[in-house]
Amino acid sequence: MSDVSQPAAHPPVTDWVNDFDHTDPQWTDDPFPIWDELRAASPVVHTERFLGCYMPTTYDAVREIANDPEHFSSRRIIVRDVRPELTRNAAPPITSDPPVHKPAKQLLLPPFTPDAMKKLEPRMRAICNELIDGFIADGKVDAAARYSKYIPVQAIAHMLGIPESDSDLFINWIHMILELSIKDESKLLEAVQEMSAYFRTQIEERRSRPTDDLISYLMNAKDKEGQPLEESHVLGSLRLLLIAGIDTTWSAIGSSLWHLARTPADRERLIAEPGLIPTAVEELLRAYSPVTMAREVVKETTVSGCPVKAGNMVLLSFPAANRDPKMFPDADKVVIDRRENRHAAFGLGIHRCVGSNLARMEMQVALEEWLKRIPDFALDPAGTVTWSQGTVRGPRQLPFLLGRAM
Amino acid sequence: MTERLKVHVDPDKCQGHARCKALAPELFELDEYGNAHEAGNGIVPPGLEDKAWLAKSNCPEIAIDVIEE
């Protein structure tokens, strides 16, 4: 008897160009040579897996799709084995198409401007230092599990006005939604229900005791007609802010530290020239972009000359676009003072990441505070680096030796 | 005579990445949604030409023009 909730087994990939699978362990460990192979074959490749899925491999093809919401819908944004039933207000505006996308996005933009992020910066520096205090004396640390993981979750919890001490609960939901749900839809439903219940309780509390956090902001928001948002919209946007704000930046900070642990020359230069950190952050975002979004083809069209058929998903790999040598000279090298860098780590077009200013601030602060206090660190040869699977790529175990322990 | 530079942000292309504001804060401003427009009339004061080109070459949406007059 088969158990429908059992994750489907994926046979190992032997033909990357015609049968790619972004959940294959080879891809999860080291996707870069695979992307090069796919790009050399075609600007758009296809797999029968995941009920049919295209992947644009070049910067131009990714840009074309990102700027074409008419043919490529955002109603499904994760490539999974199944196509979960469509729900209205799943996670607006990331799951919204025009014309409902724009007002939903405009609602979320003001709290995330660069100026708004500057006000949050002192709290971020304190969070980073509190985390470092917790392990610096040990001489070794899993920097993913004890540092990069907790910076964004505490930041978004602070903005939403929910307890930073609930961080592990939030991280578990995100793991279920972004990783486990690729092969097991029941994990998605379970996490969404738990999150919605959590936020409903928070909303109830604020009805009697209003606050000045993002939950109250969304509860009090009005649409163009001056009407309050539907509850499903408020809940959907709250789920989005929590999901999108956490393992994305966790991954970006982790990948950056992973690079610096393996590249002493870059580390020493950033310590000597801390003014270069913002430029280096852009390059680390390009080289190790964490986020791959998806689209669903809703109308037949062509991309970079390749026909694409409705009903297929698209693995919209901003990370692969950012490694396209036609767009970036020495695309496979990390050049921390790269001057021209129109990378697409935060997406392109109308779905540009709402939290990009927050993520940039968090990355800069996380690297600045780490390098100030821990200038010397290296990968621990006794440990293993592991990487997440699927929509967001970043180190989940990052064993380091610190300072004198090296 | 030296050429004068002007910057211009195409409001239909800008998606609020805010790279221009970070790289050339003297030349660009952001609205309440974080979308960019050129500061004042867009004329680049002497000495800031490099920042104008830098902002252009870092805009992910290719929304910035640098016009030589």
Side-chain angles (χ1 to χ4, degrees), chain A residues 63 106 109-110 113-114 282 339-343 347-350 352 360, chain B residues 15-19 30 32-34 50 54 56-62:
Chain A
R63 174 189 293 286
Q106 282 188 332
L109 289 171
T113 60
E282 296 306 317
R339 278 176 60 84
E340 298 193 6
N341 196 349
R342 24 174 137 249
H343 69 76
L348 294 170
I350 61 170
R352 185 270 301 174
R360 289 185 154 107
Chain B
Q15 296 292 346
H17 293 257
R19 297 293 301 131
L30 303 180
E32 63 175 309
Y33 301 114
D50 191 43
L54 200 59
K56 177 186 163 82
S57 64
N58 278 277
C59 174
E61 306 292 350
I62 319 181

Side-chain angles (χ1 to χ4, degrees), chain A residues 52-54 56 62-79 83 93-97 101 292-298 311-318 346-352:
Chain A
C53 179
Y54 295 101
V62 166
R63 174 189 293 286
E64 216 179 310
I65 293 169
N67 281 310
D68 183 1
E70 186 193 336
H71 295 91
F72 300 95
S73 169
S74 288
R75 62 193 194 181
R76 292 190 175 91
I77 53 164
I78 297 178
V79 171
R83 304 272 165 88
I94 205 170
T95 52
S96 312
D97 291 320
H101 168 269
T292 294
M293 291 306 296
R295 295 288 188 269
E296 185 175 4
V297 189
V298 287
N312 284 260
M313 291 297 290
V314 175
L315 194 65
L316 192 58
S317 177
F318 299 114
F346 294 109
L348 294 170
I350 61 170
H351 286 282
R352 185 270 301 174

Side-chain angles (χ1 to χ4, degrees), chain A residues 75-309:
Chain A
R75 62 193 194 181
R76 292 190 175 91
I77 53 164
I78 297 178
V79 171
R80 297 186 166 99
D81 277 342
V82 290
R83 304 272 165 88
E85 223 172 283
L86 293 170
T87 50
R88 209 159 61 89
N89 288 330
I94 205 170
T95 52
S96 312
D97 291 320
V100 299
H101 168 269
K102 190 171 179 180
K105 176 130 182 205
Q106 282 188 332
L107 186 69
L108 294 187
L109 289 171
F112 287 93
T113 60
D115 280 350
M117 294 307 102
K118 272 192 195 125
K119 292 184 190 131
L120 195 62
E121 203 181 302
R123 177 71 199 124
M124 291 315 304
R125 289 197 193 277
I127 287 170
C128 292
N129 279 290
E130 286 161 18
L131 291 167
I132 294 172
D133 288 340
F135 58 75
I136 190 168
D138 300 345
K140 59 193 285 191
V141 69
D142 181 338
R146 296 193 61 189
Y147 188 65
S148 59
K149 178 177 178 177
Y150 286 107
I151 295 166
V153 71
Q154 294 194 34
I156 199 69
H158 181 79
M159 290 182 76
L160 287 167
I162 53 183
E164 291 177 17
S165 55
D166 283 346
S167 292
D168 285 325
L169 184 64
F170 309 146
I171 286 166
N172 187 44
W173 288 333
I174 276 116
H175 179 57
M176 290 163 79
I177 291 174
L178 293 183
E179 291 195 79
L180 300 182
S181 84
I182 293 174
K183 295 172 182 173
D184 185 355
E185 189 189 352
S186 69
K187 297 289 178 197
L188 172 71
L189 302 174
E190 189 184 331
V192 167
Q193 277 170 9
E194 285 181 22
M195 287 177 89
S196 300
Y198 182 93
F199 280 124
R200 275 201 191 93
T201 307
Q202 294 286 332
I203 287 170
E204 271 317 304
E205 282 174 13
R206 281 161 183 74
R207 286 200 210 287
S208 47
R209 280 187 295 126
T211 54
D212 60 356
D213 53 38
L214 272 180
I215 297 181
S216 289
Y217 172 84
L218 282 171
M219 285 168 63
N220 298 327
K222 303 275 194 295
D223 67 15
K224 272 188 297 190
E225 281 78 43
Q227 297 299 310
L229 302 181
E230 289 174 48
E231 192 201 39
S232 67
H233 188 148
V234 174
L235 286 172
S237 289
L238 288 172
R239 286 195 300 264
L240 167 65
L241 293 178
L242 194 63
I243 296 167
I246 296 183
D247 69 347
T248 50
T249 318
W250 164 15
S251 298
I253 296 168
S255 297
S256 301
L257 289 172
W258 176 74
H259 173 81
L260 294 176
R262 299 160 73 241
T263 322
D266 284 352
R267 196 169 73 227
E268 282 156 22
R269 186 156 177 215
L270 292 185
I271 291 164
E273 299 175 56
L276 190 59
I277 289 179
T279 306
V281 160
E282 296 306 317
E283 175 66 347
L284 293 163
L285 277 166
R286 181 194 70 80
Y288 305 113
S289 309
V291 182
T292 294
M293 291 306 296
R295 295 288 188 269
E296 185 175 4
V297 189
V298 287
K299 264 194 229 176
E300 190 167 322
T301 184
T302 59
V303 176
S304 295
C306 304
V308 295
K309 291 197 176 117

